């Protein structure tokens, strides 16, 4: 069985401060990992993905994530957040069966 | 503009009624998916299709059916709606196995 755990349901952070959104997964096989962002009343948009290769992945809007196989984690980071980063963030895993499994989401609120 | 189109954007439906949510993509993606998004539960996979002519069950398939007659269309049908099917429904597609999924804007369905 596979699952995705996002440890924080809500994360408030001041503007220009760094942020880390945590994601852990469980799987008995190799996975591919993704972070998506959802702005209010919109669909999900891909931030970044890890398929293979370098464990540090850079995405759009200044976000990055690091794949840690030993800790089965894929935490999302940004060194300095902006008001426009306020959104819901979802971590997802994909298996060879072509199915994506999502975490329950983390609501990031950037405080001016 | 290339992407995924969902219709309707929102709907209020009486319990017991039949409803079909439409999803069309113009990216020629092989795989398509239907998710439901509920507060605190993230996105859960209802059904998926790896290629035209094939479909599969996801995590929460009961009460829903899908068809994939061609590459572009992937309708989701609720045969007899119940209030627990009140949710936001997202259609998604991906080009190949384990590549990122692209999402539509969602359909907000309320069953009363």
């Amino acid at each position: 069985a596979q699952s995705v755990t996002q440890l924080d349901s809500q994360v408030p952070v001041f503007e220009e401060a760094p942020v880390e959104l945590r994601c852990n997964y469980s799987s008995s096989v190799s996975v591919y990992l993704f972070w998506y962002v959802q702005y209010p009343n919109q669909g999900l948009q891909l931030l970044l993905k890890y398929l293979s290769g370098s464990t540090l992945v850079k995405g759009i809007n200044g976000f990055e994530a690091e794949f840690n196989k030993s800790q089965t984690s894929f935490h999302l980071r940004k060194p300095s957040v902006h008001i426009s980063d306020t959104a819901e963030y979802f971590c997802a895993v994909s298996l060879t069966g072509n199915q994506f499994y999502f975490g329950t989401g983390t609501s990031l609120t950037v405080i001016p | 503009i290339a992407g995924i189109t969902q219709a309707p954007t929102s709907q209020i439906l009486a319990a017991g009624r039949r409803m079909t949510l439409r999803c069309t993509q113009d990216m020629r993606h092989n795989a398509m998916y239907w998710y439901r998004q509920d507060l605190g539960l993230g996105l859960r996979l209802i059904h998926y299709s790896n290629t035209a002519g094939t479909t599969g069950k996801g995590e929460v398939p009961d009460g829903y059916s899908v068809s994939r007659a061609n590459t572009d269309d992937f309708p989701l049908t609720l045969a007899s709606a119940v209030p627990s099917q009140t949710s936001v429904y997202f259609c998604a597609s991906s080009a190949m196995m384990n590549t990122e999924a692209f999402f539509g804007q969602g359909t907000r369905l309320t069953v009363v």
Side-chain angles (χ1 to χ4, degrees), chain A residues 36 49 94-96 98 100, chain B residues 35 37 50 97-101:
Chain A
Y36 284 85
K49 61 184 177 183
S94 173
L95 309 180
T96 55
N98 201 27
F100 295 83
Chain B
Y35 290 89
Q37 182 178 23
N50 286 339
M97 291 173 60
N98 301 318
T99 59
E100 67 264 30

Side-chain angles (χ1 to χ4, degrees), chain A residues 2 10 12 18 37-38 47 55 83-84 89 94 97 100 104:
Chain A
Q2 49 283 320
Q10 296 184 11
V37 60
Q38 184 182 33
L47 270 179
T55 57
I83 296 291
S84 60
Y89 291 81
S94 173
F100 295 83
T104 53

Side-chain angles (χ1 to χ4, degrees), chain B residues 47-66:
Chain B
H47 285 286
Y48 66 94
S49 169
N50 286 339
T51 188
T54 68
T55 63
K57 294 181 179 180
E59 302 170 74
V60 288
D62 294 342
Y64 306 94
S65 63
V66 292

Side-chain angles (χ1 to χ4, degrees), chain A:
Chain A
Q2 49 283 320
S3 67
V4 180
T5 301
Q6 291 185 242
L7 299 167
D8 306 297
S9 60
Q10 296 184 11
V11 173
V13 61
F14 286 103
E15 191 175 15
E16 298 184 5
V19 69
E20 178 180 81
L21 306 184
R22 297 180 292 170
C23 173
N24 287 87
Y25 68 93
S26 63
S27 176
S28 58
V29 299
S30 296
V31 299
Y32 301 97
L33 297 156
F34 307 83
W35 275 99
Y36 284 85
V37 60
Q38 184 182 33
Y39 299 104
N41 299 314
Q42 294 189 25
L44 278 71
Q45 176 184 357
L46 182 71
L47 270 179
L48 48 79
K49 61 184 177 183
Y50 171 79
L51 303 181
S52 65
S54 173
T55 57
L56 182 62
V57 179
K58 294 188 182 298
I60 63 172
N61 300 340
F63 284 94
E64 65 180 30
E66 186 159 16
F67 170 55
N68 188 319
K69 188 174 182 178
S70 63
Q71 297 185 7
T72 61
S73 67
F74 191 55
H75 300 333
L76 180 70
R77 303 186 184 99
K78 186 170 183 177
S80 176
V81 295
H82 303 289
I83 296 291
S84 60
D85 293 323
T86 294
E88 190 86 12
Y89 291 81
F90 291 95
C91 180
V93 301
S94 173
L95 309 180
T96 55
N98 201 27
Q99 297 184 35
F100 295 83
Y101 294 88
F102 285 82
T104 53
T106 297
S107 178
L108 174 65
T109 300
V110 180
I111 305 165

